[in-house]
Amino acid sequence: MAVSNNHKEKLEFIEETTKNTDQVQAKVLSEILSRNAETEYLKRYNMEGATDRETFKVRIPIVAYEDLKPDIQRIAEGDKSPILAADPISEFLTSSGTSAGERKLMPTIEAELDRRQLLYSLLMPVMNLYVPDLDKGKGLYFYFIKSETKTPGGLVARPVLTSYYKSNHFKHRPFDPYNVITSPTAAILCTDSFQSMYVQMLCGLIYRAEVLRIGAVFASGLLRAIRFLQLHWRDLARDIETGTLNKEITDASVRESVKDVLIPNPDLAKFISDECSVENWAGIITRIWPHTKYLDVIVTGAMAQYIPTLEYYSGGLPMTCTMYASSECYFGLNLKPMCKPEEVTYTIMPNMCYCEFIPIEESYGKVTGSLVDLADVEVGKEYELVITTYSGLCRYRVGDVLLVTSFHNAAPQFRFIRRKNCLLSIDSDKTDESELQKGVERAAELIKSYGAGIVEYTSRTDTTAIPGHYVIYWELLVKEGGRWPEKEVFDKCCLEMEEELNSVYRQGRASDIIGPLEIRVLRSGAFEELMDYAISRGASINQYKAPRCVSFPPIIELLDSRVVSTHFSQGKPQWSPRRKDMK
């Protein structure tokens, strides 16, 4: 396949960097320690200008967010002295705040934008190796920003994607035929989520014949866009038929952005009405955008449960997970982006930050052993990621658990397994996100024959009665021709989930320390309402992920008010002290 000179340079960069993983990592750490040598943080631990790994690992402690919170608070309140980084802190990047409680403030520096842009620039050269002619059309991507806040010291605090979309790197990006998108920049930068989504969807429909790929950051974001189309296709078709924009779009710059593309097109309006008015929305993506080659969405980790719903709406289009990133740092990319979702691996680019790894068996409790360097991890082992960044995070525990699957040159390739946090616990049991996901998937097999699937789920513990028990909230989608499962089937789903949970949980059930698992089935649209609620409280649309566990009383109240049926496990899961169980 023909490769442009620009793409060739990027691919050569990937090869050169990954061939010299350990050398690049040593250089990155040396640069970080040299630049930040005079910071309060490194002086606190007597680094005395040292830039070698050995001194660094002996003197700098491994930390979590709570350990850094006092320093971050000082920066937020306006202390401009070099506390964590020598370069001025340009802004705070906020975590989504939906995975593990309150939003975290991650300090960043201006130069990090260049590093993030570099990783973005590698994605399309890799994709072009697998999917040809992406420069012959457009991408329909649903991107959103969130209203930013300011800390008491005047620094902006906003999600990492809001920071990127509002940067000159994005707003004034040079023309690239491989990265032409249908959404006007003004619509992406509109803080009103309805107006932003409306105009992005409108332009996606207008350019339907030119769309070659469709995406959002997370799978849940793309499903939100499909839901939006279900609710508003009549208004969108009317706008296209008449060539006039809905009066609810009041942002002047957004209205201006579609002035030249929104012209009367009765034929397109009729096509949209015909497709959207039918009850069966199977394959709606390829029916409306027939040239779509793949969906560009994250479907790893907790997002994996959206795969069946996306397959339903897309007619089985490939789903690509192109990059691995967080608010703390951008890490790497998928060098085989057209692989199946369950085979996704990310190659961490060694130039992005300095990486260390805690073997997962050592990551619970106080870490005392030596951490493993990026080039020295072992295939088949799970690790918790620890990073040191140019922005001043030193030996910071990100909380991601990664499985080493292989190597590309000297750079390891990782599969994202889960966030390292316990979701549910009644007694000594600890159920994490990965276990909960497997339990839901196992139970979902029992309703598949009914044409039903789980659109979304979350969980909590209920300790109002003794013994306490797990409560799992499900929202279902029943396909055309399918039917609602009987009560007995849902009851069996409860026990099926329990059979998949760890031995400590099953032992607790056997001894009545834990009560029967409960499934509460919600009415359609309940999780859409939960998302709206989270966004109204400051969550970012781009980064929103339905929480896998909830404890906030208003959220529990919202979910419980949408319950249509409740079901309990009618038996106990198998457990024996002699049963060999590696869970």
Side-chain angles (χ1 to χ4, degrees), residues 456-458 473-475 522 525-531 546 559:
E456 187 59 279
Y457 72 90
T458 189
Y473 295 94
W474 281 6
E475 182 177 330
L522 305 176
F527 278 92
E528 185 81 4
E529 294 177 65
L530 177 57
M531 181 187 285
L559 292 172

Side-chain angles (χ1 to χ4, degrees), residues 105-156:
L105 294 175
M106 291 297 164
T108 190
I109 59 176
E110 195 68 35
E112 279 301 303
L113 273 170
D114 296 327
R115 257 179 290 279
R116 290 195 283 271
Q117 181 60 40
L118 172 61
L119 192 60
Y120 280 126
S121 75
L122 304 178
L123 302 182
M124 198 49 73
V126 172
M127 183 61 76
N128 192 47
L129 294 175
Y130 296 88
V131 184
D133 300 326
L134 290 174
D135 57 334
K136 304 296 192 296
K138 304 180 190 296
L140 168 53
Y141 285 85
F142 296 97
Y143 293 149
F144 304 93
I145 68 165
K146 178 193 170 297
S147 300
E148 56 199 37
T149 59
K150 283 199 172 183
T151 67
L155 284 173
V156 172

Side-chain angles (χ1 to χ4, degrees), residues 4 24 32 43 113 117 186 262 287 332-333 336 343 347 350 380 385 394 472 489 524 530 548:
S4 70
V24 173
I32 292 171
K43 285 183 174 181
L113 273 170
Q117 181 60 40
L262 181 57
R287 280 157 43 192
L333 69 164
K336 294 182 179 179
E343 297 171 355
T347 303
L385 176 61
C394 284
I472 315 297
V489 176
S524 179
L530 177 57
R548 287 292 161 258

Side-chain angles (χ1 to χ4, degrees), residues 27-242:
K27 181 184 175 187
V28 165
L29 180 61
S30 178
E31 285 179 354
I32 292 171
L33 295 178
S34 176
R35 291 183 189 185
N36 295 331
E38 296 303 313
T39 60
E40 183 181 317
Y41 192 82
L42 291 185
K43 285 183 174 181
R44 187 182 301 162
Y45 296 105
N46 303 312
M47 281 298 289
E48 300 173 340
T51 61
D52 60 286
R53 291 192 220 197
E54 292 74 20
T55 307
F56 173 74
K57 291 193 175 200
V58 168
R59 297 185 183 176
I60 302 298
I62 300 156
V63 296
Y65 184 76
E66 289 302 316
D67 301 309
L68 297 179
K69 202 170 178 181
D71 289 326
I72 289 172
Q73 195 63 39
R74 284 173 55 198
I75 299 169
E77 289 173 357
D79 190 332
K80 290 182 170 53
S81 59
I83 299 172
L84 298 177
D87 290 338
I89 300 301
S90 56
E91 62 182 321
F92 284 106
L93 303 177
T94 58
S95 66
S96 59
T98 56
S99 298
E102 68 177 63
R103 295 197 304 161
K104 299 172 183 175
L105 294 175
M106 291 297 164
T108 190
I109 59 176
E110 195 68 35
E112 279 301 303
L113 273 170
D114 296 327
R115 257 179 290 279
R116 290 195 283 271
Q117 181 60 40
L118 172 61
L119 192 60
Y120 280 126
S121 75
L122 304 178
L123 302 182
M124 198 49 73
V126 172
M127 183 61 76
N128 192 47
L129 294 175
Y130 296 88
V131 184
D133 300 326
L134 290 174
D135 57 334
K136 304 296 192 296
K138 304 180 190 296
L140 168 53
Y141 285 85
F142 296 97
Y143 293 149
F144 304 93
I145 68 165
K146 178 193 170 297
S147 300
E148 56 199 37
T149 59
K150 283 199 172 183
T151 67
L155 284 173
V156 172
R158 55 193 177 186
V160 62
L161 289 171
T162 296
S163 171
Y164 177 68
Y165 297 145
K166 296 185 80 170
S167 73
N168 288 332
H169 286 80
F170 181 79
K171 290 192 294 184
H172 304 302
R173 59 197 184 279
F175 175 78
D176 178 355
Y178 288 92
N179 278 303
V180 178
I181 59 176
T182 59
S183 297
T185 299
I188 294 171
L189 297 179
C190 178
T191 56
D192 184 301
S193 59
F194 172 82
Q195 295 186 59
S196 178
M197 176 75 86
Y198 191 95
V199 169
Q200 291 191 61
M201 181 63 76
L202 180 67
C203 291
L205 294 171
I206 291 170
Y207 289 115
R208 63 175 288 270
E210 299 178 55
V211 169
L212 299 181
R213 59 196 190 277
I214 296 177
V217 179
F218 290 114
S220 55
L222 184 52
L223 289 175
R224 182 175 175 85
I226 297 301
R227 176 63 176 163
F228 187 91
L229 181 60
Q230 286 179 317
L231 295 173
H232 301 287
W233 64 263
R234 291 177 182 82
D235 292 332
L236 291 160
R238 190 181 307 114
D239 288 2
I240 292 170
E241 181 180 19
T242 61

